[in-house]
């Protein structure tokens, strides 16, 4: 007789821990054939609130780490992901019904994307900072600093899209609250497990599964969130209402893309600079 | 404000500070720093004040009254000093309403000549002493130089500090020398010259100011006129802040004398604006502020004539010295 | 010599030194500048007054929706047919030409600015106008070097920029908006503030004098509804706004769901932090400059003084002594330090918040000063005994009113400084280098002035964190704000 396998319970990832939704709700996640794959936690507005608190708490420490260290941590996520690549390939095949080759392509790309962004940690500052030759006896430099807590509505695909929006936000020193793809929450939570074992401090990435339409408005209007990435919002009315809500405290908004995104293509630096503020410092030069 | 003599009040108040080299250094280096850019910007800002009509007339007469009419050349003659003294008493022979200058400033060997001409006019004789301008002589020679000038009739002694000692951090030596020279001055008032052009930083100017005030200086003076840069607006600003703060702390007033490089009425008015707004109106008096200058007086006189007559004057109408 | 005088022996009273206003020629009425010409608007008109005297200066057209539409159409035509395809080197020459004319007509612009705005002539003459010219010079040089700006290999303009500017630095804010927009190849529709339209209209004349192609710059005067029409216009590709945080939020809402690129430079409540080892005289000067420069009508004003407890009394004494030498009065007098409040409305707001400050227990002090009978005036004012909870420590007063708080440790200073929804600027005064850098890192503000305050330069990016807005003006980020695909 075959062994009964141990099914995994998919929970949320908040503040470095894996709690169930405070609402006690779950929703059914099916595989590509429509068979039950697992139950995922259905996050509530209170989970979103808790995630923002965790992200804010983590911001001070994470943003003040050296860029070198942040790069190391993100690279570590890639390493751990590489070690668990088979699990991701299996999850992708199960949930997407894709071929092994295709699943491998996406997992490879996700790992490589993390490595690519890890390398940016200590370079983006040099690319976008400046020494400003002001007309006076002043030392004057501008350099980027992280925006703060960023809410992210992740794109609908599994893994690669998620990694592509989260990595640039955190490698620049921000912390984030991510609403994972409603249809593909499982790889997101497994990615959370990777993060939890990758030297990433708790709270830097917080993953919520459930309905973006339900949770995103609470994040968009949250006064302790500094930016919001609408990449995964496909309903234009929802996108507009989120942007309107975001204006309450002038969140930086990355609008939903105009055309479908090819996540396999090498990105630009705009997802890094979206979550950076320019700080200019002046000091007199004298004896 | 209580009225006290600089010499009596300073005795005691600063004893703890001047007790040792280290306590003196701690005090001087504990004074608030001066940001060069900020200080220069403030001086330049005050320099944009626009002084017109009645204010300008007032300022010109005040500036004339504040001039220490100076000749400090190796080639000075008794005749030149007599002429200068006459000019100090009646700067504009054509206009009896023109005020006298504060003093004439000469080398010690010319004091007697100057005194003779000035008599009881009220114009003081100031003498540069203490191995002016370098100050490179032994203390007893400096003291002898000082006594010599006072005996010849000098009302005021302009001494130079030992910049070598100051720059190498031997503040107590500088202090004690000032105290000694002041004693040698007897009744004469003592102006202490820093040669700010050699002190290099505004922090040093502030420290030198406090050092001299604590040692009992009646006046602190920027320069000998022999070193460039001589007086500048920001250096004088820092010194005016020092005398203001010194009065705040001790109740005593000390005068300020910028010297060298002030040649035009426009410059002089900038200094007066600075005196007015930094130290305060109490210092707008020849007892508390002087200009060490030679050519400045003629420009003041030309501008004064312009204010009175309404037409521009020319150098031919004023004596050269 | 050893006696301290009982009272001043002499009183150096500065005689009036008014700058002549004959250099400016203010017309009785002004139309809108659209497509290179002054045209009548379709709407009503409004009066602009001299805030120092309440004298009516001119009648100015209030652009309505149809006027704005005409202006946007003119800008679009100019963009498509002329400016967007003109070689950068040619655009550069137009901008250099404008910069030169601004220098040549600098005194005229300065006097007009002071008359319409109420700011002291020494400030419009020595700060505003020279920096305006500098902005045009700086961005002129970028026009033919965009591909070297590190902003991508094929930087492209956005199209038509709608720009709305405030009344505190009328021509300077115009320069901050127009110079980078034009250098990048955009055309603009700009609305000056309702109370200060005159220098923008004189700038329109300068555009004519420079033979700038019609439609590249369009100036539409008006109030809030004119601004709304610009923001809402579907053919505007970029909205740049400097002004209040409330209006900034309204613009963010109005542009939600569009593809318009938006930059906002909004309010502030900057902390100016003085440590006990600060260069004290320069710090006092920096406090004064921080809050009384331009009557405190400065978004980045150092309106919250945080002073270390051990020197609080000394700093306050020195500050009060310094404030007593500030000269309040006729903006055209060359010796005036503080001019008129820009409008009756603003004066009412300053009065209201100051009264609240007093009723909440703050101790209010102003030097004795004779304020003119007519016009809008408010004396330089400092509050002590203020806590973080007081409204005057939280709300932007936008006037010559300083709130003073104390702190004991660097960490406490940072905590208090950052405890605000704003994040535009901050000041730090200390002689300790490593502390300056630590503070600069900790302060959540777009501009940190260390041992200086309120310095501006075209090469130096300016803009805020949090509710002080987003985007930067000045420097490379200021150029990127007018180019496609660059964030």
């Amino acid at each position: 007789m075959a062994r009964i396998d141990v099914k995994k319970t998919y929970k949320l990832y908040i503040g470095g821990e894996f709690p169930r939704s405070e609402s006690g709700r779950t929703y059914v996640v099916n595989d590509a054939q429509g068979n039950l794959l697992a139950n995922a936690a259905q996050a509530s507005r209170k989970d979103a609130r808790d995630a923002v608190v965790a992200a804010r708490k983590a911001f001070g420490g994470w943003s003040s780490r050296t860029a070198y260290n942040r790069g190391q941590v993100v690279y570590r996520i890639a390493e751990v992901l590489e070690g668990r690549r088979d699990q991701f390939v299996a999850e992708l095949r199960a949930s997407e019904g894709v071929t092994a080759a295709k699943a491998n392509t996406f997992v490879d790309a996700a790992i490589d994307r993390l490595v690519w962004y890890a390398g940016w940690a200590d370079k983006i500052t040099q690319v976008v900072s400046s020494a400003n030759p002001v007309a006076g006896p002043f030392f004057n430099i501008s350099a980027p600093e992280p925006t703060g807590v960023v809410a992210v509505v992740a794109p609908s695909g599994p893994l690669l899209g998620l990694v592509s929006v989260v990595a640039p936000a955190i490698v620049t020193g921000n912390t984030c609250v991510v609403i994972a793809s409603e249809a593909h929450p499982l790889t997101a939570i497994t990615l959370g497990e990777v993060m939890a074992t990758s030297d990433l401090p708790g709270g830097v990435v917080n993953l919520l599964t459930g309905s973006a339409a339900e949770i995103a408005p609470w994040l968009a209007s949250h006064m302790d969130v500094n930016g919001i990435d609408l990449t995964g919002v496909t309903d234009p009315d929802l996108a507009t209402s989120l942007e309107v809500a975001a204006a309450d405290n002038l969140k930086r908004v990355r609008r939903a893309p105009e055309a479908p995104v090819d996540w396999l293509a090498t990105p630009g630096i705009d997802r890094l600079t979206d979550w950076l503020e320019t700080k200019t410092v002046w000091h007199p030069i004298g004896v | 404000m209580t009225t006290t003599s600089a010499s009596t009040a300073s005795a005691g108040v600063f004893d703890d500070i001047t007790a040792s080299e280290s306590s003196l250094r701690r005090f001087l280096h504990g004074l608030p720093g001066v940001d060069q850019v900020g200080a220069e910007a403030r001086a330049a800002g005050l320099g944009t004040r626009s002084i017109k009509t009645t204010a300008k007339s007032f300022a010109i007469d005040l500036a004339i009254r504040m001039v220490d009419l100076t000749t400090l050349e190796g080639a000075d003659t008794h005749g030149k000093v007599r002429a200068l003294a006459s000019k100090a008493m009646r700067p504009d022979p054509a206009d009896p309403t023109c005020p006298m200058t504060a003093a004439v400033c000469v080398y010690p060997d010319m004091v007697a000549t100057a005194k003779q001409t000035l008599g009881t006019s009220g114009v003081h004789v100031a003498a540069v002493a203490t191995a002016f301008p370098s100050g490179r002589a032994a203390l007893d020679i400096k003291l002898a130089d000082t006594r010599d000038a006072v005996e010849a009739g000098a009302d005021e002694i302009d001494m130079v500090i030992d910049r070598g000692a100051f720059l190498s951090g031997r503040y107590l030596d500088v202090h004690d020398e000032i105290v000694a020279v002041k004693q040698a001055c007897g009744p004469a008032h003592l102006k202490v010259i820093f040669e700010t052009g050699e002190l290099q930083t505004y922090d040093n100017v502030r420290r030198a100011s406090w050092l001299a005030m604590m040692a009992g200086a009646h006046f602190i003076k920027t320069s000998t006129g022999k070193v460039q840069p001589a007086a500048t607006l920001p250096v004088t600003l820092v010194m005016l802040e020092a005398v203001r703060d010194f009065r705040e702390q001790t109740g005593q007033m000390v005068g300020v004398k910028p010297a060298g490089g002030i040649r035009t009425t426009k410059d002089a008015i900038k200094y007066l604006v600075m005196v007015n707004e930094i130290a305060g109106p109490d210092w707008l008096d020849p007892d508390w502020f002087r200009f060490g200058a030679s050519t400045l007086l003629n420009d003041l006189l030309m501008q004064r004539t312009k204010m009175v007559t309404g037409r521009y004057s020319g150098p031919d109408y004023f004596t050269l010295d | 010599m050893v006696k301290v005088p009982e009272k001043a022996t002499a009183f150096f009273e500065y005689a009036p030194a008014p700058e002549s206003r004959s250099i400016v020629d203010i017309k009785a009425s002004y139309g809108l500048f659209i497509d290179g010409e002054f045209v009548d608007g379709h709407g009503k008109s409004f009066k602009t007054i001299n805030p120092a005297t309440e004298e009516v200066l001119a009648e100015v057209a209030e652009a309505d929706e149809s006027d704005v539409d005409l202006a946007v159409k003119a800008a679009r035509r100019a963009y498509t047919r002329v400016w967007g395809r003109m070689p950068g080197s040619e655009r550069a020459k137009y901008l250099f030409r404008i910069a030169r004319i601004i220098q040549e007509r600098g005194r005229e612009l300065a006097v007009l600015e002071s008359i319409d705005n109420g700011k002291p002539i020494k400030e419009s003459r020595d700060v505003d106008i020279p920096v305006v010219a500098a902005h045009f010079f700086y961005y002129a040089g970028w026009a033919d070097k965009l591909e070297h700006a590190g902003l991508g290999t094929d930087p492209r303009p956005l199209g038509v920029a709608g720009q709305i500017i405030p009344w505190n630095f009328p021509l300077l804010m115009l320069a901050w908006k127009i110079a980078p927009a034009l250098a990048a190849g955009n055309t603009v529709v700009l609305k000056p503030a309702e109370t200060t339209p005159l220098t923008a209209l004189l700038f329109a004349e300068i555009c004519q004098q420079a033979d700038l192609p019609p439609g590249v710059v369009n100036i539409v005067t008006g109030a809030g509804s004119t601004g709304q029409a610009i923001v809402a216009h579907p053919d505007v590709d970029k909205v740049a706004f400097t002004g209040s945080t409330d209006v900034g939020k309204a613009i963010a809402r109005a542009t939600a769901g569009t593809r318009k690129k938006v930059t906002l430079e909004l309010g502030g409540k900057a902390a100016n932090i003085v440590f006990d080892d600060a260069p004290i005289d320069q710090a006092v000067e920096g406090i004064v400059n921080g809050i009384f420069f331009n009557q405190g009508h400065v978004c980045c004003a150092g309106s919250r003084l945080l002073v270390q407890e051990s020197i609080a009394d000394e700093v306050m004494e020195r500050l009060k002594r310094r404030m007593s030498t500030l000269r309040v009065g006729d903006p055209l007098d060359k010796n005036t330090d503080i001019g008129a409040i820009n409008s009756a409305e603003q004066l009412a707001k300053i009065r209201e918040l100051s009264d609240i400050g007093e009723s909440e227990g703050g101790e209010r002090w102003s030097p004795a000063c004779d304020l003119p009978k007519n016009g809008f005036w408010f004396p330089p004012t400092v509050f002590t005994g203020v806590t973080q909870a007081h409204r005057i420590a939280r709300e932007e007063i936008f006037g010559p009113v300083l709130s003073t708080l104390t702190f004991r440790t660097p960490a406490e200073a940072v905590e208090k400084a950052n405890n605000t929804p704003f994040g535009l600027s901050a000041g730090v005064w200390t002689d300790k280098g490593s502390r300056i850098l630590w503070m600069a890192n900790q302060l959540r503000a777009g501009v940190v002035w260390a041992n200086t305050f309120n310095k501006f330069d075209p090469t130096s990016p300016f803009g805020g964190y949090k509710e002080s807005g987003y985007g930067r003006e000045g420097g490379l980020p200021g150029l990127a704000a007018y180019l496609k695909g660059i964030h």
Side-chain angles (χ1 to χ4, degrees), chain B residues 138-158:
Chain B
L139 179 61
D140 54 346
I141 292 171
K142 292 181 184 178
L143 297 179
D145 195 18
T146 304
R147 284 190 209 100
D148 184 45
V150 175
E151 275 163 24
D155 306 291
E156 301 169 4
I157 296 295
D158 290 23

Side-chain angles (χ1 to χ4, degrees), chain C residues 339-357:
Chain C
I341 301 302
N342 180 252
S343 65
E345 191 190 353
Q346 188 56 31
L347 180 60
K349 190 187 156 194
I350 297 167
R351 281 182 176 154
E352 188 200 342
L353 276 162
S354 299
D355 291 346
I356 288 170

Side-chain angles (χ1 to χ4, degrees), chain A residues 285-287, chain B residues 28 31-44 166-167 194-210 222 229-242 271 274, chain C residues 279 281-282 431:
Chain A
I285 299 172
V287 294
Chain B
L28 294 177
L31 291 167
V34 183
D35 182 77
Q36 182 193 342
V37 174
E40 288 174 359
R42 173 73 170 129
F166 183 91
L167 289 171
F194 301 147
E195 200 66 294
T196 53
E198 291 183 351
L199 298 188
Q200 299 283 328
T201 69
Y202 297 122
D203 290 329
N204 277 344
V205 173
R206 174 167 287 176
R207 289 170 190 150
S209 299
W210 278 84
T222 62
T232 67
L233 284 166
V235 156
T236 309
L237 171 95
V238 171
M239 290 165 63
L240 287 165
E241 288 168 349
Y271 279 91
M274 209 159 69
Chain C
D281 293 301
Q282 287 72 51
D431 252 4

Side-chain angles (χ1 to χ4, degrees), chain B residues 232-278:
Chain B
T232 67
L233 284 166
V235 156
T236 309
L237 171 95
V238 171
M239 290 165 63
L240 287 165
E241 288 168 349
V243 297
R244 177 198 66 195
D245 293 348
F246 190 77
R247 177 162 99 167
E248 208 53 36
Q249 197 166 322
T250 65
Q252 302 169 35
M253 274 175 76
V254 173
V256 177
K257 177 179 171 184
I262 306 163
R263 295 192 180 86
T264 65
T265 302
K266 203 174 168 181
D267 284 346
I269 290 176
K270 286 181 184 179
Y271 279 91
L272 293 180
V273 164
M274 209 159 69
V275 172
N276 192 36
E277 299 199 31
I278 300 292

Side-chain angles (χ1 to χ4, degrees), chain B residues 1 4 33 35 42 49-50 52-53 55 189 206 218-219 241 244-245 247 251 253 276-277 282 285 288, chain C residues 1-5 8-15 17 279 281-282 285 317-318 321-322 335 337 431:
Chain B
M1 198 64 65
T4 48
D35 182 77
R42 173 73 170 129
R49 289 279 191 234
S50 180
K52 301 288 182 204
T53 61
H189 281 165
R206 174 167 287 176
H218 296 98
F219 257 81
E241 288 168 349
R244 177 198 66 195
D245 293 348
R247 177 162 99 167
M253 274 175 76
N276 192 36
E277 299 199 31
D282 284 354
D285 187 286
W288 304 111
Chain C
M1 144 136 282
V2 293
K3 297 210 173 185
V4 172
T9 47
F11 185 57
F12 192 8
E13 192 176 4
Y14 304 159
D281 293 301
Q282 287 72 51
E285 218 41 49
E317 227 169 87
R318 285 168 182 264
R321 182 175 58 205
R322 173 68 178 92
N335 292 323
D337 298 315
D431 252 4

Side-chain angles (χ1 to χ4, degrees), chain C residues 69-378:
Chain C
D69 186 54
L70 286 174
V72 173
K73 285 197 166 90
R76 175 61 60 189
R77 268 197 310 276
Y79 173 72
T80 318
R81 296 182 189 168
V82 187
W83 198 250
R85 42 166 89 169
M86 185 185 288
S89 54
E90 300 299 299
R91 287 202 309 273
K93 284 189 276 182
Y94 278 112
L95 290 170
F96 278 122
R97 199 185 267 182
I98 288 170
R100 268 285 186 255
I101 298 173
I102 288 166
Q103 286 181 321
E104 286 160 8
R105 300 180 69 173
R107 192 52 58 95
E108 182 186 355
L109 287 163
V111 171
L112 185 60
E113 196 76 300
S114 282
I115 291 173
D116 203 17
N117 170 279
K119 67 174 64 198
I121 184 70
K122 78 167 183 186
E123 188 200 310
S124 48
R125 177 197 68 200
D126 296 345
V127 182
D128 292 46
I129 307 306
V131 181
V132 167
H135 263 270
F136 278 96
F137 272 110
Y138 175 73
Y139 281 110
W142 269 125
D144 56 357
K145 302 169 191 69
L146 298 177
E147 67 275 23
H148 300 293
L151 302 171
T153 49
D154 183 28
R156 306 287 308 154
L158 300 167
V160 175
Q163 307 177 316
I164 300 163
I165 58 170
W167 47 260
N168 57 342
F169 294 93
L171 195 67
L172 183 56
M173 292 300 104
L174 174 148
W176 282 27
K177 298 279 178 292
I178 292 184
L182 263 50
N186 306 273
T187 57
V188 306
V189 176
L190 177 135
K191 185 192 90 66
E194 190 183 4
T195 60
T196 55
L198 296 185
T199 46
L201 293 163
L202 182 52
F203 179 80
E205 268 181 56
I206 289 173
C207 291
Q208 289 180 323
Q209 201 183 338
D211 283 327
L212 190 73
V216 172
V217 167
N218 303 275
I219 308 283
V220 289
T221 43
S225 62
T226 308
Q228 281 167 7
I230 294 173
V231 172
H233 198 288
D235 205 30
V236 164
D237 301 297
K238 155 89 187 189
V239 175
F241 171 75
T242 296
S244 75
T245 290
D246 283 345
V247 175
K249 290 177 181 178
I251 289 172
R253 289 182 196 109
T255 52
T258 70
R259 289 286 153 190
K260 288 173 187 168
K261 191 160 172 167
V262 181
T263 45
L264 303 171
E265 202 270 89
L266 310 174
K269 191 74 194 178
N272 201 359
I273 305 165
V274 181
F275 284 95
D276 61 4
D277 66 341
I280 198 78
D281 293 301
Q282 287 72 51
V284 168
E285 218 41 49
I287 295 166
V288 167
N289 178 40
I291 186 62
F292 302 123
F293 174 67
N294 203 36
Q295 298 70 248
H297 300 330
V298 185
C299 47
C300 52
S303 52
R304 277 188 300 152
L305 172 63
L306 293 180
V307 57
Q308 197 156 17
E309 207 173 273
S310 52
I311 54 159
D313 291 346
E314 189 192 343
V315 167
M316 205 43 58
E317 227 169 87
R318 285 168 182 264
L319 176 62
K320 287 177 177 175
R321 182 175 58 205
R322 173 68 178 92
M323 284 169 69
S324 304
T325 67
L326 290 169
R327 306 171 65 87
V328 186
D330 180 8
L332 285 185
D333 190 304
K334 288 177 244 179
N335 292 323
T336 292
D337 298 315
I338 299 185
I341 301 302
N342 180 252
S343 65
E345 191 190 353
Q346 188 56 31
L347 180 60
K349 190 187 156 194
I350 297 167
R351 281 182 176 154
E352 188 200 342
L353 276 162
S354 299
D355 291 346
I356 288 170
E358 219 165 354
S359 67
E360 287 186 338
E363 196 180 317
R364 175 178 183 163
W365 184 88
S366 293
C369 55
D370 292 329
L371 300 177
K373 293 275 174 294
N374 295 323
F376 315 126
W377 305 93
F378 198 87

